[in-house]
Amino acid sequence: MPPYLVLAGQEGLLRHYTELAAATSLDVIVYQRDNAVFTPGTVVELARVPGIVGLKDGHGDLELMQRTVSAVRAELPGRDFLYFNGLPTAELTVPAYRGIGITRYSSAVFCFAPEIALAFHRALAGGDDETVGRLLDGFYRPFAELRALGRGYAVSLVKAGVRLRGTDVGEVRPPLSEPAPEHVKRLAELVEYGLTLPVGSTASRAPQHPAS
């Protein structure tokens, strides 16, 4: 995760993650977002550090990521450095990230609607563009629009979704707050609709999604 509070320079960030990697036997994947955004040159140096195995991007600058992938490939040929799309509701940007060679992504939807997340992944891997488009249009875009209705909803909506599916995971911790009841209701309707999208013919999909 990014370091707390401070906005550090590239040299300080490199030192921070180098020392973290040296302090653990676990593999380290650096999370790029907020106050930890790296130049391609810094990522090259991170990739040289024993124990740092990858970069998860939550910043979303595709041009920067293309330059980063290119720089690591050119400077460290043969280095198996891992890249992940870590944006909120990553499925929305998966097609764009795949265009620059980043195929891995983290799916928050998998936490509460694994059927939808796995159907999307299977369709993507299998080249089923129709199903990918149907899930993007009918579930993921409306979910992202619902997520945008409240601060912290990228976390609290996910926990609400897990509770809706029958697992009591409690409420979010302060300073986050729970989604409004009407937003939880819309989430329940959206999940119910989303579960119908991976199957059936076009003719059987007449109902509009609940966010419309």
Side-chain angles (χ1 to χ4, degrees):
M1 297 292 288
Y4 175 67
L5 188 61
V6 295
L7 184 62
Q10 295 294 299
E11 183 179 351
L13 289 171
L14 178 59
R15 179 183 173 191
H16 174 74
Y17 289 104
T18 298
E19 293 188 5
L20 280 177
T24 178
S25 60
L26 297 173
D27 290 338
V28 173
I29 297 171
V30 177
Y31 195 4
Q32 172 167 264
R33 57 174 293 168
D34 299 324
N35 56 338
V37 177
F38 309 100
T39 65
T42 298
V43 179
V44 169
E45 295 308 311
L46 288 171
R48 296 185 195 275
V49 176
I52 296 182
V53 301
L55 179 72
K56 177 180 176 181
D57 180 46
H59 181 54
D61 184 336
L62 283 173
E63 190 265 348
L64 174 62
M65 284 305 297
Q66 178 67 86
R67 290 191 291 115
T68 297
V69 171
S70 175
V72 173
R73 185 171 58 231
E75 295 294 327
L76 301 173
R79 174 70 162 98
D80 186 20
F81 197 65
L82 308 177
Y83 300 96
F84 299 81
N85 172 0
L87 288 173
T89 317
E91 285 88 348
L92 280 173
T93 52
V94 160
Y97 273 79
R98 285 174 70 88
I100 61 172
I102 299 175
T103 58
R104 299 176 180 89
Y105 63 96
S106 57
S107 173
V109 170
F110 184 80
C111 297
F112 64 92
E115 305 94 330
I116 297 173
L118 289 172
F120 179 87
H121 187 270
R122 283 193 295 266
L124 191 72
D128 183 356
D129 293 339
E130 180 185 356
T131 298
V132 168
R134 191 161 66 246
L135 286 165
L136 287 174
D137 296 346
F139 177 80
Y140 284 103
R141 177 181 55 79
F143 176 69
E145 291 170 351
L146 180 59
R147 188 196 69 214
L149 295 179
R151 288 191 176 274
Y153 271 21
V155 175
S156 57
L157 267 186
V158 171
K159 292 200 78 170
V162 174
R163 291 196 300 270
L164 285 170
R165 300 302 301 279
T167 301
D168 185 5
V169 291
E171 297 185 350
V172 292
R173 295 187 298 271
L176 296 179
S177 57
E178 288 296 304
E182 62 269 25
H183 295 161
V184 175
K185 180 176 182 293
R186 285 177 60 181
L187 176 62
E189 294 169 347
L190 184 57
V191 170
E192 183 179 2
Y193 179 74
L195 291 169
T196 71
L197 292 173
V199 296
S201 65
T202 303
S204 68
R205 294 191 297 273
Q208 293 183 319
H209 63 66
S212 62

